[in-house]
Amino acid sequence: MSKYQVNKEGYYGPFGGAYIPEMLYPNVEELQQQYLDIMADPSFQQEFEQLLRDYVGRPSPLYRANRLSEKYKTNIYLKREDLNHTGAHKINNTIGQILLAERLGKKRIIAETGAGQHGVATATVCALKGLECVVYMGEIDIKRQAPNVARMKMMGATVVAAQSGSKTLKDATNEALRDWINNPVDTHYIIGSVVGPHPYPDMVARFQSIISEETKKQLLEKTGKENPDIVMACVGGGSNAAGMFYHFLDAEDVQLIAVEAAGHGVNSGESAATTVLGKEGVLHGSRSILMQTEDGQVIEPYSISAGLDYPGIGPQHAWLFKSGRGSYVSATDDEAMQAGLLLTKLEGIIPAIESSHALAHLEKMNFKGDETVVICLSGRGDKDLDNYMNYFGF
Amino acid sequence: MQITKHANGLLSIYFTAGYPHIDSTLEIAKALEAAGADFLEIGFPYSDPVADGPTIQHSSEEALKNGMTLKVLFQQLQDLRKEVSIPVYLMGYFNPVLQFGVEAFCKACKEVGVNGTIIPDLPMYEYEALYQPIFEENGISNIFLVTPQTSEDRIRKIDKLSTGFIYLLSSNATTGKQLNIQEQSEAYFKRIQAMDLNSPLVIGFGIHNQDTFQKATQYAHGAIVGTAFVKLLREENYLAKIPEFIRGIKNKK
């Protein structure tokens, strides 16, 4: 048992747990008791693998970015989650959870979404399985992300505006939790990141662990070694990073770098750099690190990237940070946008602004020249064209 | 006034501290006692109240805007026991308590004379593993919730852990849903009644008028009105309307 994985009480060191009201207990307990058995079942594994292959398009390529490597004088590989169906790593998790929901006999699926990527990935698998789908999305985000709202509606999902609080991702999550409280029997909540009460952080990380599982095989084929020297990923809640780190956690010589969104700067008052600005706290059912006031009220984060402006991080990340296993760093809006443009010009790949944060950290690294670096390119930048256009004035 | 198994027809009122005004907490508590409420739950606000419906969410948001914090609340409650003699419970979410410090929180409760706490997102496992001695050393009763879905084993365990009362949710729902006592919920109330627990039972969620109060108190020692009362606080001259509100729920036709 890895010391970086969840223990049987649902904790990662002091983080995790299931801080939920009694109304959610039966649903969460059902998941806690069944998720590992269901996931270990051969029929589940067979269907999961088949859908990841034939529907999502896995394995996603591990691509050696030659011109980027030349610029930074090292060996950079991109794990191309951007090439998945629906354009990001999010679908790995929603495929897994829809198969789980089916086996739990659930008829109705709910989800939260910020920018809409997880909402689209959830609506997609609900269409695939013919299940009712309700997606909660902050009222402000609905206005900012019209194309993703349209995608979800085309696939038959109902998009409900979260009008409470700050009307963004954290409030959409609150509304989804309230829906689950009010529909305790027939509904499964597909959480989109490695957050929420145990077993969600572990369950989502397991579904996303396909990223590092494939990376090891692909790297072995390409370089003769299955472990890189450095692995990098962006972190909002942290699901792509959790998947990218998963099979390297116990290989202590692999350096894990997680890049948070610094927004306008860590000390600007407009940031989402949780490990720098946050303190230990409880939100959405788990104990982790959280941006909050002295009185324990949650602070609304800011980032140009809608996928990274979450006020907390998953409990496993909090533990990797606190234990020192992972390096948690940050990149500002400006650094990320420049890094996104650089990748586009050097490699012909437009990254999601989330992924651009991971790329931005390359500027701050000192490479010896012979390292193998893997960066999780978690999503494609199609959804961000407006943002890129406004920023660069194209 | 004691909340015991010998009591019946107890009426408890929930309201949010710092709403509608920052300094309305104590005046509302006094008015409720004078009007005949049997015990009180004073909510301390949180930015992300997942177990609450729109009315109590709104009161929490307003209270936060008014500047309510746990520090401010404990200052306001310094004179609580000079003014109010009925039992008082503080109700809110765990994160503000964690930031205040669980031990400091329990000590402050004891100092001002608060009887207990209701913290819905501090579940039994975490309470037992991490905090039970701190609550007990300070004589603070932590109240647990039971829903129609809670298993018998778990209810027995909750009963053992409870030192005040058990908060029986009328349905698996967020606050403010209308109670519709149907065969199903009657069967659930009867099932709990038949378990002959050690703790007194108080039913909450969806109690909003005389009819629902009477139905609930057939099966439990008391019932809690929250959302319906918080709605009253939106009205002008709400203090003057409190006696009529309490009479309207408690007095038998």
Side-chain angles (χ1 to χ4, degrees), chain A residues 126-164:
Chain A
C126 288
L128 180 71
K129 288 292 184 179
L131 290 178
E132 183 187 350
C133 180
V134 178
V135 178
Y136 289 89
M137 187 169 185
E139 195 175 37
I140 291 174
D141 290 331
I142 286 181
K143 287 182 191 139
R144 289 195 291 207
Q145 308 287 342
N148 273 345
V149 175
R151 284 185 186 102
M152 288 184 264
K153 287 184 175 166
M154 282 178 73
M155 289 184 282
T158 306
V159 180
V160 180
Q163 294 172 334
S164 58

Side-chain angles (χ1 to χ4, degrees), chain A residues 164-165 175 178, chain B residues 49 52-62 175:
Chain A
S164 58
E175 289 301 334
R178 288 181 187 121
Chain B
D52 286 302
T55 302
I56 293 179
Q57 281 175 45
H58 175 76
S59 70
S60 296
E61 266 178 52
E62 291 297 310
T175 56

Side-chain angles (χ1 to χ4, degrees), chain B residues 72-138:
Chain B
V72 170
L73 178 59
F74 283 122
Q75 277 162 16
Q76 291 184 347
L77 296 181
Q78 281 305 318
D79 291 333
L80 173 72
R81 286 308 173 200
K82 287 182 196 156
E83 314 262 9
V84 176
S85 63
I86 55 177
V88 171
Y89 291 80
L90 293 191
M91 182 166 188
Y93 293 82
F94 186 53
N95 197 51
V97 176
L98 189 63
Q99 299 315 312
F100 194 87
V102 175
E103 190 160 5
F105 174 79
C106 288
K107 283 190 169 142
C109 284
K110 185 185 178 184
E111 232 174 73
V112 302
V114 161
N115 303 68
T117 55
I118 305 166
I119 307 170
D121 62 342
L122 175 59
M124 198 159 51
Y125 172 78
E126 274 70 18
Y127 174 77
E128 268 191 299
L130 303 169
Y131 303 116
Q132 188 179 356
I134 303 174
F135 281 78
E136 287 179 354
E137 278 158 26
N138 289 286

Side-chain angles (χ1 to χ4, degrees), chain B residues 41 118 143-146 165-169 202 204-205 224:
Chain B
E41 277 133 59
I118 305 166
I143 307 301
F144 294 94
L145 310 184
V146 162
F165 59 89
I166 288 177
Y167 193 139
L168 213 56
L169 263 61
V202 179
F205 284 36
I224 302 168

Side-chain angles (χ1 to χ4, degrees), chain B residues 132-204:
Chain B
Q132 188 179 356
I134 303 174
F135 281 78
E136 287 179 354
E137 278 158 26
N138 289 286
I140 301 302
S141 299
N142 191 44
I143 307 301
F144 294 94
L145 310 184
V146 162
T147 80
Q149 264 79 33
T150 309
S151 69
E152 178 162 345
D153 279 359
R154 194 166 161 84
I155 295 172
R156 296 270 176 216
K157 208 171 167 208
I158 285 172
D159 190 35
K160 264 193 195 154
L161 267 187
S162 296
T163 52
F165 59 89
I166 288 177
Y167 193 139
L168 213 56
L169 263 61
S170 58
S171 60
N172 212 87
T174 45
T175 56
K177 292 264 162 169
Q178 298 293 300
L179 176 65
N180 187 6
I181 297 195
Q182 298 157 334
E183 277 173 36
Q184 224 179 355
S185 43
E186 272 196 51
Y188 152 61
F189 292 146
K190 280 182 182 157
R191 173 166 66 87
I192 307 286
Q193 217 177 14
M195 285 178 72
D196 193 24
L197 301 171
N198 292 317
S199 313
L201 304 173
V202 179
I203 295 180

Side-chain angles (χ1 to χ4, degrees), chain B residues 229-244:
Chain B
F229 182 72
V230 172
K231 279 183 184 161
L232 177 80
L233 298 178
R234 292 179 188 163
E235 295 177 18
E236 290 199 4
N237 298 320
Y238 57 85
L239 279 182
K241 291 175 182 168
I242 287 177
E244 191 194 330

